[in-house]
Amino acid sequence: MTGRRRPSSPRPFPRAGAAVTAATACTAVLASLLSACGSLPGVPGGSGEKEPLTVMTWAPVGTKATNMPGMPAMAQAYARWVNSRGGIDGHPLKVVTCNEHNDSVAAAHCAQRAVDAGAVAVVGSYSQFGRSFISPLERNGIPYLGGYGVSDEEFASPLSYPVNGGQAALLAGNGRQLASVCERVSLVRPDTIQGDQMPALLGAGLADGSRGAARDVRAPEDGTDYADAARRALDGVGAGPGAAGGTKGAGGCVTAALGERTDTFFDSFRRLQPEGSKVRIASVLGSAGQALVDRTGGRSGPLEGAYLTGWYPVASDPRWNPMRKVINDHAFGDNRIDPADPGVQTTWIAYTVLRAVVEQLGEDGAEDITAHTVRQALDHGARAVDTGGLTPELRWRADDMLAVQGFPRTVNGLVTYQVVREGQLVAAKEGFVNVAGTLEKPRAES
């Protein structure tokens, strides 16, 4: 049975006054929430959440010369690790990376990208084009923290904070290391502006051991065959075709510092080395390392017995265990990151310093972390930064600078002596060797 449905009463619209009252009440509730909590739940900048810290890390990748892909990769792994622990003093870390391409224009572009991104620092980066990248950073007050140490500007600019002694320490240290075992030395180095400094630096170390200057063998930075350089190097130590019969280069050493092309040089050298040669070979970390030893045959390869000079303890040292754990847990199998690579190691140390500086600023009550406050903390830090024994404690006050000709920002004059034994890089001498005295002596330019 059907019947008529009772018409429903329409819902009256609120009066204007009631609407205002309701809106006012809502606004009051919102204001109360904001007042009590600082911002709405879930909105960035809420209770306990601090502003992100943006930093830049650059390095050359995919070039015909030296490549350092592990440096930006290590920076990204570090950010994942530190952010999983709440950031640095509560600040999420944002790492922006840039391919420097081993090119002066690209280096300047990377520096400008750091400026545009609002970076508080450029951390753990590699570039030999200091003139190109340092000017944009200086104009905008951005510190360059823990660069690889391959350009002069890293040891001259007041906005640069190096964590190692750079090329100068390696070459001077290599000269001192070789002086104890070599009567004659040939240095094979790139025919570049940076390479032009190498003979004098190596010579300073050799002179400390009462040895004469090395034979300077220039070679192309991106060569594909180094047969000519190998012949000249052998001639320089008395092992060439015209050498006196029977000597076979005894007492001679050839050290090569060609970056990524050092591998190619030693391949040419091996093919030209006379049978039964007694010439010893050497290099510096960054030009040679465990990866190169492994690629060239390990204990049966040409680098067995080679002398190498580095900035840091050998890769097997337990002081690297924290870095290795971060790589294992947060690099997700990224094969760009080799824990034995000095570029990766330098990046780890540089970010260790950044973290310590930001935490110091937090303890001092700094509300904002900016390029200016980071720079001020680096210049006037009350405490030196402990890197877990991988370097001396680091600080960049005027009193901490070494009196090194041409490299006034140097604060770390320590190196390590290493040697390849049974296919493994091991310490040739326990602990660090201080070459500050060698670096501080006046030296004749080549």
Side-chain angles (χ1 to χ4, degrees):
M1 188 173 72
T2 63
R4 295 179 64 185
R5 180 176 298 175
R6 182 179 178 180
S8 60
S9 302
R11 181 174 296 174
F13 288 102
R15 298 187 305 273
V20 171
T21 301
T24 302
C26 290
T27 302
V29 171
L30 180 59
S32 176
L33 283 170
L34 289 171
S35 175
C37 304
S39 68
L40 289 174
V43 176
S47 177
E49 187 172 336
K50 299 181 180 180
E51 289 295 318
L53 296 179
T54 299
V55 298
M56 165 75 82
T57 296
W58 65 57
V61 178
T63 76
K64 293 181 179 180
T66 298
N67 294 291
M68 289 286 177
M71 297 181 76
M74 182 71 243
Q76 292 168 327
Y78 189 95
R80 287 192 290 269
W81 170 68
V82 80
N83 288 337
S84 74
R85 300 163 62 92
I88 303 179
D89 193 39
H91 295 274
L93 180 64
K94 178 182 178 182
V95 173
V96 181
T97 64
C98 188
N99 187 350
E100 182 265 3
H101 289 290
N102 264 323
D103 177 81
S104 61
V105 175
H109 172 71
C110 287
Q112 188 57 50
R113 277 193 61 197
V115 174
D116 295 342
V120 300
V122 174
V123 187
S125 297
Y126 181 105
S127 178
Q128 61 179 302
F129 300 103
R131 291 182 183 178
S132 297
F133 71 71
I134 205 67
S135 293
L137 300 184
E138 288 181 340
R139 284 196 303 270
N140 292 276
I142 299 176
Y144 187 73
L145 173 58
Y148 188 82
V150 73
S151 71
D152 290 354
E153 285 72 16
E154 293 175 64
F155 297 92
S157 170
L159 267 69
S160 181
Y161 303 86
V163 299
N164 58 48
Q167 174 181 274
L170 288 182
L171 268 294
N174 196 231
R176 278 181 50 173
Q177 185 179 15
L178 296 181
S180 63
V181 293
C182 309
E183 297 173 11
R184 299 170 303 282
V185 177
S186 286
L187 168 65
V188 183
R189 51 85 169 183
D191 190 9
T192 63
I193 293 174
Q194 298 300 325
D196 289 344
Q197 297 178 340
M198 292 184 178
L201 292 165
L202 185 81
L206 289 170
D208 264 7
S210 301
R211 300 293 188 185
R215 170 73 67 88
D216 181 16
V217 180
R218 296 176 175 85
E221 183 183 30
D222 57 354
T224 57
D225 180 79
Y226 287 95
D228 179 62
R231 290 189 191 94
R232 287 182 283 137
L234 287 165
D235 285 343
V237 296
T247 63
K248 296 184 179 179
C253 295
V254 172
T255 187
L258 290 166
E260 201 166 90
R261 295 298 178 177
T262 303
D263 184 358
T264 306
F265 168 77
F266 279 130
D267 183 61
S268 297
F269 182 84
R270 181 175 63 247
R271 287 186 277 106
L272 291 171
Q273 195 172 14
E275 185 177 352
S277 170
K278 297 180 180 179
V279 176
R280 302 185 184 194
I281 59 176
S283 189
V284 294
L285 267 292
S287 286
Q290 188 62 52
L292 179 57
V293 174
D294 294 341
R295 285 200 310 272
T296 55
R299 69 180 65 187
S300 60
L303 291 176
E304 179 67 20
Y307 298 101
L308 284 87
T309 306
W311 293 305
Y312 314 124
V314 293
S316 59
D317 192 287
R319 283 171 284 188
W320 292 113
N321 286 348
M323 181 190 74
R324 288 180 177 277
K325 179 169 175 53
V326 168
I327 294 171
N328 290 337
D329 293 347
H330 295 275
F332 308 118
D334 190 338
N335 60 13
R336 295 173 298 171
I337 303 179
D338 176 3
D341 173 48
V344 169
Q345 294 171 346
T346 299
T347 302
W348 168 261
I349 292 169
Y351 274 91
T352 299
V353 173
L354 175 73
R355 183 184 181 194
V357 167
V358 172
E359 289 176 346
Q360 283 186 29
L361 286 169
E363 292 172 9
D364 294 340
E367 295 183 3
D368 297 320
I369 307 299
T370 65
H372 176 73
T373 58
V374 170
R375 196 172 70 250
Q376 289 291 102
L378 289 165
D379 287 338
H380 308 293
R383 299 193 303 273
V385 176
D386 182 356
T387 63
L390 298 172
T391 67
E393 291 190 339
L394 297 171
R395 191 154 49 177
W396 293 268
R397 302 170 307 172
D399 291 346
D400 301 309
M401 308 291 174
L402 304 179
V404 181
Q405 175 186 336
F407 305 94
R409 297 288 293 177
T410 306
V411 297
N412 178 4
L414 303 187
V415 297
T416 57
Y417 291 169
Q418 304 177 25
V419 64
V420 181
R421 291 186 184 141
E422 297 296 313
Q424 296 296 314
L425 264 174
V426 297
K429 178 181 175 65
E430 289 300 318
F432 289 100
V433 177
N434 193 342
V435 298
T438 302
L439 291 171
E440 290 178 333
K441 290 179 182 177
R443 55 183 181 273
E445 300 295 338
S446 297

